[in-house]
Amino acid sequence: MEIVHVYSRLRSEFGRACLLSDRVTELSLDLLPDPSLGAQFILRTPRDQASQARCDMSEHQVNTERFETESRGVNHTEGGWPKDVDPNEMEQTIRFRKKVEKDEGFMNSIPQLGSMMAHCIQQNNSLDIYQEYFTDEDEDESAEPPSAKTINVFRDPNKVKRTVTSLSWHPDGGRKLAGAYSCLHFQTSHSNMCEDSYIWDIENPNLPELTLKPVSPLICIEYNPKEPHTLVGGTYSGQIAYWDTRRGSQPVELSSVEHSHRDPVYKIMWLQSKTGLDAFSASTDGQVLWWDVRKLSEPTERLVLDPSREGNLEQALGAICLEYEPTMPTKFMVGTEQGVVLSCNRKAKTPAEKIVCSYEGHHGPVHALHRNPFFPKYFLTAGDWAACIWSEDIRDSAIMWTRYQMSYLTDACWSPVRPSVFFTSKMDGVLDVWDVLFKQNDPSLSLKVCDEPLYCLRVQDSGQMVACGSEGGSATLLEFCSGLSSLQKNDKSLLAAMFEREAKREKILEARQREQRLKERSRSEQSNTGQGAGDCIDAHDVQQLIARAEEDFYSVVEAEKRRREEPLQDKDAIKEVNGGKVMQ
Amino acid sequence: MAEVEETLKRIQSQKGVQGVVIANSEGIPIRSTLDNSSTVQYTGLIHQLLLKARSTVRDIDPQNDLTFLRVRSKKNEIMIAPDKDYFLIVIQNPSD
């Protein structure tokens, strides 16, 4: 259909400006849809086609199979000799050499090379061209943000992965790391779960240096600081085992089942003694046992962690961690499952006096307990969702504490080089580095080490490397930047001042609380007698309160009675009506 | 001949020089002041290093060529002067 509109004009009027005017709208054409035409088309469901003016790209990932490499030495032998010269024959080689020396080229080039060489040698002798300038200037560590990098990851070689529950650094230089592997979930034990624990050389993450084979999986392990070849470990069955790495994988000594702990041994530590062979262990059965590793059939001493000091095993608190400082050989501390830290004295005269005092403050088990290596009076605890710093003198509460974190804290320790730095590990696989002199609300550095929970943490003696163990059986070795591991000038004095200030604050708070308590007590005593020489006003207030309470009571009772009577009255009313009706 | 001897003696007498080795382009040691096994080891290893260094320089700029190679390590410095047919190795302990 053609749509044509014809209009005619005079030729002379072409090109004239159009005079536009409004017109009433009129429908010129209305094309209605014709469904029959739809049969000529095929309906396609709507599709999305994105288009963008760029080239097609694709992403590929390739992962190669692990390639096992081995280091081997190469034997250098002589070579390069021409065919006619046999390198083993001295005569021939000498003859060859003499021939070369007589060569023209030789005689010309060697003096030239020699002069070049002499220049460099003399340059070396006169001046150290690689001299470091400005070595004396202190590097400004605070300018760069703290950082850390992963050096190595040591994975559990077995198929069934167990948790790394404890790590211990070799005392001499920290080139080796001992890890205790076990499964701490309640009552799960795979039939083919291996019980071995390993000692790793930190340079070689592929194969453990030594395998330790206990009778039951090890929960904790410690190198002897005096004899670096010996280790002691506590097992899941409650026994203690003693190894000598020179004598192989089997334990040299194993404690008897009857005299050991009845629950897994959570922590074992070496003691400072003349023989250097004493250790003590703690377990959730409520006991702390002392051992002489030469004779592990029976413990030398026993302490039951009963807070009522009666030695009653039923009431004992389960111990999770221990703290011992070689400079204070008679004192030690125990962190318990119930959130209480007990400070004990080994040399007390009566067993009742062995437990000196307790520090309560955590809502859950105290997983870590560590004294500050520079200020032994202050110690760090980690449990539930926060880490707290305590002063030995103040029993009621910690002097400093971190905010409640998003996940459970599993371990904590101070840095051996910087007094204000401590590390914590959490259940979400994050390792936090806290510097109390720098920032107290948040960690200075927060590292996500792995996706599984981190169970334990150990700092090497140099303070720069930290090993942390996870639930999936991998121990990660991290190295921190020098800012976090080198002692700054004012660290010690600033930290001492901070601790003193916080301790003083707590003392003041404690004193004030005590005063308030005394006042309350005296007030309540006076109100009981009714008449007081002192505050009569208070007594009067109390009387008023009593009177008001009585009024309230009686009014409520009356209201209730009235409420109960109403339905009865209504019932009577209905009866009357019915009666009336019946009458009718 | 005498020049060669004189050159060697001069180098040897410098302060801190621990050893001198002359080798040809095939890696055969001609003269040396070290014992045989060290000589063989040094020559073998340095010959390869020299070839690699030279090819590196030439690859980057074909008109360039290696004139001197110095390997500084913690304990000493190995200096290598290459030539068309021979190369001279000196091990020096910079005594500062």
Side-chain angles (χ1 to χ4, degrees), chain A residues 142-161:
Chain A
S142 52
E144 43 177 73
S147 62
K149 54 180 186 191
T150 313
I151 307 245
N152 254 333
V153 180
F154 306 96
R155 289 182 218 277
D156 189 355
N158 306 86
K159 266 218 181 63
V160 178
K161 305 279 176 202

Side-chain angles (χ1 to χ4, degrees), chain B residues 2-91:
Chain B
E3 285 177 13
V4 171
E5 291 297 335
E6 197 212 308
T7 312
L8 285 179
K9 216 183 297 178
R10 200 160 24 102
I11 291 176
Q12 183 78 13
S13 63
Q14 295 278 1
K15 192 165 73 138
V17 171
Q18 286 171 343
V20 183
V21 178
I22 305 178
N24 74 350
S25 53
E26 273 137 37
I28 303 172
I30 309 291
R31 285 290 285 272
S32 171
T33 61
L34 303 168
D35 57 286
N36 195 33
S37 56
S38 308
T39 304
V40 168
Q41 199 176 18
Y42 267 108
T43 314
L45 293 166
I46 288 173
H47 177 60
Q48 294 181 43
L49 182 65
L50 188 60
L51 289 176
K52 193 67 174 180
R54 186 180 265 149
S55 70
T56 306
V57 172
R58 295 291 287 265
D59 275 351
I60 291 171
D61 180 7
Q63 276 151 353
N64 206 353
D65 194 10
L66 184 70
T67 50
F68 203 84
L69 186 61
R70 264 174 134 157
V71 182
R72 181 90 168 206
S73 72
K74 271 196 271 203
K75 295 189 184 166
N76 47 24
E77 180 162 358
I78 306 171
M79 291 175 276
I80 306 142
D83 191 57
K84 196 161 68 85
D85 299 314
Y86 305 95
F87 57 97
L88 178 64
I89 303 166
V90 172
I91 301 124

Side-chain angles (χ1 to χ4, degrees), chain A residues 76 78 80-81 97 100-101 103 106-107 109-111 113-114 117 120-125 128-130, chain B residues 1 7 14-15 22 28-31 36 40 45 68 70 72 77 79 81-83 86 88 90 92 96:
Chain A
H76 289 275
E78 282 201 51
W81 293 100
R97 286 198 174 103
V100 169
E101 282 179 10
D103 182 27
F106 185 81
M107 291 204 272
S109 63
I110 293 300
L113 293 178
M117 186 63 79
C120 286
I121 293 175
Q122 282 162 349
Q123 193 184 45
N124 263 350
N125 280 335
D128 181 9
I129 63 177
Y130 299 105
Chain B
M1 195 57 211
T7 312
Q14 295 278 1
K15 192 165 73 138
I22 305 178
I28 303 172
I30 309 291
R31 285 290 285 272
N36 195 33
V40 168
L45 293 166
F68 203 84
R70 264 174 134 157
R72 181 90 168 206
E77 180 162 358
M79 291 175 276
D83 191 57
Y86 305 95
L88 178 64
V90 172
Q92 187 194 17
D96 44 63

Side-chain angles (χ1 to χ4, degrees), chain A residues 66-83:
Chain A
R66 213 155 70 132
F67 183 71
E68 290 206 10
T69 53
E70 216 181 286
S71 271
R72 287 193 188 179
V74 177
N75 194 15
H76 289 275
T77 53
E78 282 201 51
W81 293 100
K83 270 197 298 231

